[in-house]
Amino acid sequence: MVAVKSPLTEAAQKTVGDALQTSLVDLIDLALVAKQAHWNLVGRNFKVVHEHLDEVVDLARQYQDEVAERAIAIGVNPDGRARTVADRTVLPQPEAGYLADDKVVATITDTLARLVERFRERVEVTDEPDKVTQDLFIEIVAALEKQHWMFQAQIAD
């Protein structure tokens, strides 16, 4: 079997690979959480929130692919299997059944804030071992922060 040789040192590969794997789990679960809310949403602001949730799903799916491909590029096998995501996710899960639009907006706002914090930590962790991965994480932070702002604006007093 041919393996992809890493351009990074073994220690750097481990650090960066771990950051990429946890990012992959976060992004896969973000897409699942947002889609679950999208399907079960009800309320006065249904249409706007429903469509906005699809933007979050699209963002998560785009970046999960980029994160997984970056992992392979540095010789780390990404693991996006359902069991792995279920076992390792830290994101709060939506309740079953209908979800009120105001609760969804609050929950997604909190989820995005948590992810921004996690990705900002990864920006710091990858500063020394791999600027290329760090650049990807910076791009993801910017996209997550934009979505966070847009959801947060819906609940501002």
Side-chain angles (χ1 to χ4, degrees):
M1 178 172 297
V2 177
V4 175
K5 183 167 171 36
S6 180
L8 305 177
T9 66
E10 191 173 317
Q13 181 189 37
K14 169 84 171 99
T15 299
V16 175
D18 289 348
L20 287 164
Q21 179 59 43
T22 56
S23 297
L24 181 60
V25 168
D26 282 350
L27 291 166
I28 290 170
D29 201 30
L30 175 60
L32 294 171
V33 165
K35 194 49 105 168
Q36 181 70 17
H38 168 90
W39 292 325
N40 292 286
L41 184 71
V42 294
R44 176 174 286 144
N45 295 311
F46 169 83
K47 183 162 176 46
V48 171
V49 177
H50 183 78
E51 291 173 352
H52 196 174
L53 287 165
D54 268 343
E55 289 180 31
V56 173
V57 170
D58 290 346
L59 174 151
R61 288 178 178 164
Q62 171 194 341
Y63 285 115
Q64 68 193 23
D65 194 51
E66 291 185 33
V67 163
E69 289 177 355
R70 180 66 191 151
I72 285 292
I74 66 162
V76 174
N77 294 107
D79 188 352
R81 295 174 298 170
R83 170 82 53 200
T84 301
V85 175
D87 288 345
R88 297 185 186 168
T89 189
V90 298
L91 299 185
Q93 300 300 298
E95 298 172 21
Y98 293 113
L99 302 169
D101 56 3
D102 59 333
K103 281 187 167 183
V104 168
V105 169
T107 299
I108 295 295
T109 300
D110 291 345
T111 298
L112 289 167
R114 178 180 233 171
L115 287 175
V116 165
E117 182 179 320
R118 288 173 61 80
F119 274 91
R120 281 184 166 275
E121 290 169 2
R122 293 172 189 136
V123 167
E124 295 302 318
V125 166
T126 55
D127 179 48
E128 183 68 29
D130 187 25
K131 299 261 190 229
V132 176
T133 300
Q134 183 190 45
D135 187 52
L136 174 58
F137 287 154
I138 290 169
E139 184 179 331
I140 293 169
V141 167
L144 290 171
E145 286 180 344
K146 181 178 179 182
Q147 288 300 320
H148 178 255
W149 153 59
M150 292 179 156
F151 272 93
Q152 190 176 30
Q154 296 180 54
I155 56 175
D157 292 332

